[in-house]
């Protein structure tokens, strides 16, 4: 059987901007037979995420993420349906997901890398397993639980950067659900600002491309900032940190403004900002959601419950077709998405 797959065509260079042409689609033959312990799956949805930018480099700069290889199939978060199984845990028709799903229309995988998912948790929206009811949701929830030190009733103000993205759009809502009294989002377009305040329950939003962010922040957070959910790093974060309160907390989710630069993760703060951080005893610890696997199951159930109760609104930007994976990645890296960026490979969920 001939299937399509996406391979890494070229590397953008450590300081380069990724483009769609860094990826290419090719056809490949899928073996007729599958071995004991394997399954054949049809891919339904694939995820593109900021962390993937470092996988485009020869050296990811991280001990837990491996680089993609040139002319080899690219992988990441995926959801699909089992068409044939020789693994005891899976049967034909099961929906499954994996963090290491090849960018391929159909694929033979070891059952050991797959996890069965229950469509009821997402009311049938299977792509949500790659977003709000998956890694981005867990990152937001566990990040706030573990590093945010939110106490209900203590009048805390939370600021979220990259607030209209996969994690940011959830983090602001979760901040409210966990007891922050004020949540302010920072994003890059007027449309995103409007969405945050009209649909996602943010108290206010700042478009960092317009006007003076420091002044706006001061105006919208008169009592200072207690919790900062940081998705972007760079100048925006320096501005927020300079308005944080004594003993406040930074949740270091991502640093997308720095991903096209050859700097360590997390990137060091400029000396003046680092001085503020130390002086005010602001915590800024590296946060890696994979260190909290024992909290995943309860986290997914909590996120699903909030979603079903209408307390957690889920946004996603969907592009169709495997051939558009590169374009989707490029768009996501430049803020073209609202909520989670998803690529739909197949809509056919029946066998």
């Amino acid at each position: 059987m001939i299937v399509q797959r996406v391979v890494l065509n070229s590397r953008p260079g450590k300081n380069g901007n990724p483009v769609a042409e860094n990826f290419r689609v090719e056809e490949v033959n899928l073996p007729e037979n599958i071995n004991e312990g394997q399954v054949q799956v049809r891919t339904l949805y694939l995820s593109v995420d900021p962390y993937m930018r470092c996988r485009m480099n020869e050296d990811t700069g991280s001990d837990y993420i491996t680089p993609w290889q040139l002319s080899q199939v690219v992988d990441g978060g995926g959801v699909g349906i089992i068409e044939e199984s020789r693994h005891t845990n899976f049967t034909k028709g099961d929906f499954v997901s994996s963090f290491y799903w090849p960018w391929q229309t159909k694929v033979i995988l070891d059952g050991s890398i797959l996890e069965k998912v229950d469509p009821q948790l997402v009311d049938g929206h299977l792509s949500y397993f790659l977003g709000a009811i998956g890694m981005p949701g867990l990152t937001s929830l566990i990040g706030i639980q573990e590093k945010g030190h939110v106490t209900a009733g203590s009048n805390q103000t939370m600021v979220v950067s990259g607030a209209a993205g996969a994690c940011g759009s959830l983090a602001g809502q979760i901040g409210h659900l966990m007891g922050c009294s004020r949540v302010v989002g920072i994003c890059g377009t007027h449309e995103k600002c409007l969405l945050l305040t009209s649909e996602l329950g943010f108290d206010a939003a700042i478009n960092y491309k317009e006007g003076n962010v420091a002044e706006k922040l001061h105006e919208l957070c008169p009592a200072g900032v207690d919790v900062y959910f940081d998705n972007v790093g760079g100048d925006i974060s320096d501005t927020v940190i300079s308005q944080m309160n004594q003993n406040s907390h930074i949740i270091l989710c991502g640093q997308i403004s720095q991903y096209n630069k050859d700097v360590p993760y997390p990137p060091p703060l400029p000396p003046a900002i680092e001085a503020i951080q130390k002086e005010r005893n602001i915590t800024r610890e590296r946060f890696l959601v994979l260190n909290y696997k024992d909290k995943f199951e309860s986290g997914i159930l909590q996120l699903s419950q909030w979603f079903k109760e209408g307390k957690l609104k889920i946004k996603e930007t969907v592009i169709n077709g495997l051939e558009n994976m590169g374009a989707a990645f490029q768009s996501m890296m430049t803020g073209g998405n609202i909520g989670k960026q998803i690529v739909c490979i197949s809509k056919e969920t029946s066998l």
Side-chain angles (χ1 to χ4, degrees):
M1 189 195 324
I2 300 290
V3 297
Q4 285 188 310
R5 68 176 190 173
V6 174
V7 300
L8 187 65
N9 188 45
S10 57
R11 300 190 190 276
K14 279 199 164 181
N15 298 302
N17 293 324
V19 290
E21 293 70 34
N22 292 136
F23 302 94
R24 76 171 186 271
V25 179
E26 55 181 37
E27 292 195 329
V28 63
N29 221 339
L30 199 67
E32 291 299 313
N33 300 322
I34 64 172
N35 299 327
E36 197 60 47
Q38 290 185 323
V39 295
Q40 181 182 306
V41 290
R42 180 169 73 243
T43 306
L44 299 173
Y45 298 98
L46 293 171
S47 173
V48 290
D49 304 275
Y51 83 87
M52 292 175 166
R53 172 61 187 85
C54 68
R55 299 193 70 186
M56 299 181 81
N57 299 334
E58 269 176 85
D59 173 13
T60 64
S62 154
D63 41 13
Y64 65 93
I65 299 175
T66 53
W68 288 328
Q69 299 301 327
L70 287 170
S71 297
Q72 298 293 315
V73 70
V74 172
D75 67 341
V79 170
I81 185 169
I82 293 189
E83 295 189 318
E84 200 184 325
S85 171
R86 291 195 62 196
H87 190 287
T88 46
N89 296 0
F90 303 105
T91 50
K92 190 174 170 172
D94 283 347
F95 293 105
V96 288
S97 80
S98 173
F99 206 48
Y100 307 102
W101 196 290
W103 290 9
Q104 197 164 305
T105 48
K106 291 189 181 197
V107 63
I108 291 170
L109 295 171
D110 276 337
S112 58
I113 70 159
L114 295 172
E115 205 158 307
K116 210 179 287 192
V117 293
D118 176 4
Q120 287 187 316
L121 288 175
V122 292
D123 284 351
H125 297 277
L126 293 167
S127 57
Y128 289 0
F129 285 121
L130 300 177
I133 319 294
M135 271 306 174
L138 288 170
T139 301
S140 305
L141 174 64
I142 297 169
I144 293 169
Q145 283 173 337
E146 297 294 320
K147 302 290 186 185
H149 303 273
V150 174
T151 315
S154 60
N155 258 349
Q156 286 163 302
T157 296
M158 175 189 274
V159 171
V160 181
S161 57
C167 285
S169 60
L170 300 168
Q173 299 181 76
I174 292 169
H176 264 321
L177 287 165
M178 290 181 67
C180 285
S181 57
R182 186 165 181 75
V183 176
V184 176
I186 303 175
C187 54
T189 69
H190 178 66
E191 179 200 6
K192 289 177 180 178
C193 286
L194 207 58
L195 171 95
L196 294 182
T197 53
S198 66
E199 287 188 50
L200 303 186
F202 283 68
D203 297 287
I206 297 170
N207 179 352
Y208 71 86
K209 292 178 183 169
E210 279 177 11
N212 185 315
V213 176
E215 280 175 18
K216 272 271 170 57
L217 198 62
H218 192 68
E219 185 190 313
L220 295 170
C221 305
V225 178
D226 301 297
V227 184
Y228 173 39
F229 196 96
D230 185 6
N231 286 300
V232 302
D235 295 343
I236 291 172
S237 290
D238 297 346
T239 302
V240 177
I241 294 168
S242 61
Q243 297 192 29
M244 290 183 75
N245 292 327
Q246 194 71 29
N247 303 321
S248 53
H249 303 282
I250 298 168
I251 300 158
L252 210 49
C253 177
Q255 304 279 285
I256 196 167
S257 74
Q258 308 296 305
Y259 286 172
N260 295 328
K261 299 175 192 168
D262 185 10
V263 293
Y265 185 85
L269 296 170
I273 304 299
E274 194 178 3
I276 291 172
Q277 183 210 343
K278 290 197 164 128
E279 207 175 286
R280 297 184 196 163
N281 193 32
I282 302 169
T283 60
R284 181 183 184 256
E285 299 160 355
R286 185 173 177 167
F287 168 69
L288 180 58
V289 73
L290 297 173
N291 290 341
Y292 297 92
K293 286 187 173 157
D294 58 317
K295 294 186 162 50
F296 282 14
E297 198 178 332
S298 59
I300 291 293
L301 292 174
Q302 176 65 83
L303 292 160
S304 169
Q305 185 186 336
W306 280 335
F307 159 60
K308 290 184 164 191
E309 289 170 352
K311 292 175 183 171
L312 191 67
K313 305 277 193 301
I314 300 177
K315 292 283 154 199
E316 53 180 19
T317 300
V318 181
I319 292 180
N320 290 315
L322 186 81
E323 69 280 4
N324 291 315
M325 289 301 295
F329 184 79
Q330 182 179 357
S331 171
M332 177 271 309
M333 286 298 294
T334 50
N337 57 305
I338 286 181
K340 181 79 185 85
Q341 178 73 65
I342 294 284
V343 182
C344 175
I345 309 302
S346 167
K347 286 195 172 76
E348 194 44 68
T349 56
S350 56
L351 288 172

